[in-house]
Amino acid sequence: MKPTIYDVAREAEVSIATVSKVINNTGRISDKTRKKVMDVMDRLGYRPSIVASALTGKRTYTIGLLIPDLANPFFAEIARSVENRGHELGFSIVLCSTDNDSNKEAKYIALLRQKSVDGIILAAGFNNDEILKQLVDEKFPIAVISQDIPSLAADSVTVDDYLGGYKVTEHLISLGHKRIAVFAENARSSKERIRGYRQALTDAGLDLDERFIYVCDSTIEGGKQQAREMLTITERPTAIFACNDLLAVGVMQAAREYGLTFPDDLSIIGFDNTILATSVNPPLTSVAQPIEEMGRQVMDLLVQRIEGATNMKRRVVLLPEMIYRGSTKPPVIH
Amino acid sequence: MKPTIYDVAREAEVSIATVSKVINNTGRISDKTRKKVMDVMDRLGYRPSIVASALTGKRTYTIGLLIPDLANPFFAEIARSVENRGHELGFSIVLCSTDNDSNKEAKYIALLRQKSVDGIILAAGFNNDEILKQLVDEKFPIAVISQDIPSLAADSVTVDDYLGGYKVTEHLISLGHKRIAVFAENARSSKERIRGYRQALTDAGLDLDERFIYVCDSTIEGGKQQAREMLTITERPTAIFACNDLLAVGVMQAAREYGLTFPDDLSIIGFDNTILATSVNPPLTSVAQPIEEMGRQVMDLLVQRIEGATNMKRRVVLLPEMIYRGSTKPPVIH
DNA sequence: TTGAAAGCGCTAACAG
DNA sequence: CTGTTAGCGCTTTCAA
């Protein structure tokens, strides 16, 4: 059996209270006793049980991460950066794949609470607003990454999606494109990006063709399907703004089926700047989110909240950066 | 405050023992009492604390997953499938990114044990054999996915790496290639794949050129660097077997720098059949591992072990399947 | 500076 | 069928 605090106490010939104090560095302990206890602890390979300690009202040092789907490299990287920072701060991450299913979201949250996690991080695309509101009302520590829910008093770290969408569109316009399609997923962040897209068109005095807004499943397949639609219409777009790299890859694959080449026949820009952006050919111009930084910041916000450092809602908005590669070009004039 | 078993007992006018029994469906409780208790439980929104229950010797229903790096889509998918099955079986997954650092491995394991996880799953590329041996000796439940350590008495789920390597090489040979390079990472699975590669060469009566075995960092960059080496030698290989898709992508990128085209100038086959294989152009022929199945199986093995169903080492070996796409071709004869 | 004891929320004999 | 009680391993007063 694993040694308990009693074993240590017995071996060191002190009380368990004393052992507890040296573990937690509380109270006043003579150097002599402290040393004796420490020696015994590592002779026995003693490790305090976090479960027992949590039962007395202390932290579990565990945080839940709700994330739609690790199959999207963007989310995988989010998970990685959150875990990294969590580990640095002494917190473990329990992974919860929601598949954007608000039912699963609710179940996971209930489960996490049963396990007494110290806090929860919601990554992009959380749907069950009701549950969230409840958590916030109970002052349960949560933080949101890559999605801001303005109506919700929860800390959040996002990239300026509106600006990202604006810049992408502006760039395409500056190349001479006039018919620009946008491929979006059904998520808040996409809506913001589309808002930027609209504004850029307006600012350039271009008309918006509502047909050019394609809402897709957030998968390669989803992008591909909608792209097939798009490619059949007359006067089709000459440039595409994909709200994430997965969709961009889908569009590229569909276009290839039609014998079209990037960027000669069609320009495209993605979002998230994932590993996919450098893998495809031509490499994909994409909008980078500072994932490492974002992961660090949500984690920090959350831990501060757990520690009760503040009770105001804090929003961190970072700047998206467009990474230029070879997937755009001026349109061919017919 | 969250309601406790005492609150429920008081409201329902029964003892906590009775409440406990209805929670766990143990003992014999009259339907009437059961109903009354259940009603109170959900009126109060009561959820038993897993922490408290774990302290009494029951499970934590939590499992640790040690995985090198989610930035590799293969690992991300492993994580996803493990989490899926875990969730189905009522277990949460705590994510631990080891970066292949045997130090971190040891730390994570210690931490997981402090948290009293019920078991641990090790994904590919675990380095710290010493710790493992210790876990096994203590009969701590562990299971290994995508890596078998023959000397270790731990359950494992793998793909037949040897066979995978053999088939890839055999295919390239059948196309007429004679100079075939292999790009490997420094991992057990790669060694097996190389063994298959060697055997296939031997069986075909081809010489093995040891220079053609490139060991790389398991990243796109790693593959790219080694590929640059390879491309400068005279009588360079006409085909490449990359032991994972990441390396394959790296090789493709390097080759492109040299103005080479796939599959006309160079054939290539990857491994893992990740999202990258379909994203690159031309699409990459790659060896698929049945990830979904593998995740399910390790989880099942582990849970069985946790439940003490067996104490023999069990090995599940699944068949790799080569997915043919457009990245190979007979070599050009000069 | 140290220790005795109560209690965290729950389970599991054991009695009734 | 239901309740009393003694832990699980640890923290935290409160006395000594």
Side-chain angles (χ1 to χ4, degrees), chain B residues 183 214 216-217 219-231 250-251 254:
Chain B
F183 280 63
Y214 294 88
C216 332
D217 256 27
T219 59
I220 290 184
E221 209 42 51
K224 203 189 285 188
Q225 280 174 17
Q226 290 288 51
R228 290 197 187 110
E229 291 284 306
M230 181 197 78
L231 292 169
V251 172

Side-chain angles (χ1 to χ4, degrees), chain B residues 269-282:
Chain B
I269 296 182
F271 212 107
D272 295 344
N273 190 40
T274 59
I275 193 172
L276 296 177
T278 54
S279 299
V280 294
N281 188 23

Side-chain angles (χ1 to χ4, degrees), chain B residues 53-100:
Chain B
S53 132
L55 190 56
T56 72
K58 305 204 44 167
R59 312 253 144 81
T60 52
Y61 293 97
T62 303
I63 281 173
L65 173 65
L66 269 71
I67 204 160
D69 180 8
L70 289 184
N72 180 337
F74 175 67
F75 292 133
E77 287 191 36
I78 293 256
R80 191 167 66 100
S81 71
V82 166
E83 200 276 335
N84 265 355
R85 182 58 174 167
H87 191 234
E88 282 177 16
L89 299 177
F91 289 83
S92 303
I93 302 300
V94 353
L95 184 66
C96 308
S97 299
T98 61
D99 291 321
N100 277 315

Side-chain angles (χ1 to χ4, degrees), chain B residues 278-294:
Chain B
T278 54
S279 299
V280 294
N281 188 23
L284 182 65
T285 295
S286 187
V287 177
Q289 304 198 42
I291 300 189
E292 205 57 47
E293 179 66 11
M294 291 167 73

Side-chain angles (χ1 to χ4, degrees), chain A residues 265-285:
Chain A
D265 301 319
L266 223 40
S267 285
I268 187 164
I269 296 182
F271 212 106
D272 294 346
N273 190 38
T274 59
I275 193 172
L276 295 177
T278 55
S279 298
V280 293
N281 189 21
L284 182 66
T285 294

Side-chain angles (χ1 to χ4, degrees), chain A residues 25-332:
Chain A
N25 247 302
T26 52
R28 321 181 58 61
I29 301 286
S30 73
D31 287 354
K32 187 149 153 290
T33 310
R34 175 187 314 285
K35 181 170 183 334
K36 189 168 52 171
V37 171
M38 305 243 278
D39 286 350
V40 172
M41 290 204 297
D42 56 55
R43 179 154 58 77
L44 264 45
Y46 170 74
R47 304 246 145 210
S49 154
I50 292 184
V51 169
S53 132
L55 189 57
T56 72
K58 304 201 46 167
R59 310 255 147 80
T60 53
Y61 292 98
T62 303
I63 281 174
L65 173 65
L66 269 71
I67 204 159
D69 181 8
L70 290 185
N72 180 338
F74 174 67
F75 293 133
E77 288 191 35
I78 293 256
R80 190 166 67 100
S81 72
V82 166
E83 200 275 335
N84 265 355
R85 181 58 174 168
H87 190 234
E88 281 177 18
L89 298 178
F91 288 83
S92 303
I93 302 301
V94 353
L95 184 66
C96 308
S97 299
T98 62
D99 291 323
N100 278 317
D101 172 346
S102 75
N103 240 322
K104 273 185 121 182
E105 291 168 359
K107 282 204 184 123
Y108 270 119
I109 295 221
L111 186 59
L112 290 171
R113 302 205 59 184
Q114 264 196 277
K115 298 208 169 167
S116 306
V117 298
D118 298 329
I120 295 181
I121 291 176
L122 281 355
F126 196 85
N127 299 300
N128 199 324
D129 292 17
E130 205 175 313
I131 299 263
L132 283 196
K133 205 144 272 166
Q134 204 179 313
L135 285 175
V136 172
D137 287 349
E138 294 180 38
K139 301 213 181 303
F140 186 89
I142 67 177
V144 184
I145 180 170
S146 193
Q147 160 169 241
D148 182 43
I149 309 173
S151 63
L152 196 78
D155 297 336
S156 69
V157 177
T158 54
V159 115
D160 189 333
D161 287 305
Y162 169 82
L163 181 60
Y166 191 96
K167 278 173 138 183
V168 166
T169 314
E170 189 182 36
H171 178 63
L172 291 171
I173 292 171
S174 77
L175 288 174
H177 291 279
K178 298 201 183 321
R179 294 196 306 280
I180 302 171
V182 50
F183 279 63
E185 49 177 322
N186 182 21
R188 248 172 288 248
S189 58
S190 277
K191 297 209 171 61
E192 276 303 288
R193 292 170 198 173
I194 292 176
R195 211 162 59 77
Y197 157 87
R198 287 178 190 275
Q199 188 61 47
L201 288 180
T202 306
D203 289 358
L206 290 175
D207 285 342
L208 170 72
D209 187 334
E210 292 289 343
R211 291 176 313 155
F212 287 178
I213 299 181
Y214 294 88
V215 177
C216 330
D217 254 26
S218 184
T219 58
I220 289 183
E221 209 42 51
K224 202 190 285 189
Q225 279 174 17
Q226 290 288 50
R228 289 197 188 110
E229 290 284 305
M230 180 196 79
L231 292 169
T232 60
I233 67 179
T234 54
E235 293 262 291
R236 67 165 178 242
T238 59
I240 290 123
F241 165 27
C243 284
N244 68 231
D245 288 349
L246 240 31
L247 298 179
V249 171
V251 172
M252 290 175 87
Q253 291 181 0
R256 205 158 283 136
E257 290 173 358
Y258 284 73
L260 300 172
T261 310
F262 293 89
D264 296 324
D265 301 319
L266 223 40
S267 285
I268 187 164
I269 296 182
F271 212 106
D272 294 346
N273 190 38
T274 59
I275 193 172
L276 295 177
T278 55
S279 298
V280 293
N281 189 21
L284 182 66
T285 294
S286 187
V287 178
Q289 304 197 42
I291 300 188
E292 205 58 45
E293 178 68 11
M294 291 167 72
R296 155 179 297 267
Q297 296 246 22
V298 250
M299 198 64 215
D300 288 356
L301 288 180
L302 183 61
V303 170
Q304 285 163 22
R305 186 153 297 265
I306 288 170
E307 291 171 345
T310 177
N311 49 50
M312 301 200 352
K313 162 168 180 166
R314 289 161 307 166
R315 294 182 51 194
V316 175
V317 180
L318 301 171
L319 287 185
E321 182 192 3
M322 191 138 123
I323 309 292
Y324 296 91
R325 299 204 177 86
S327 63
T328 63
K329 207 174 181 179
V332 179

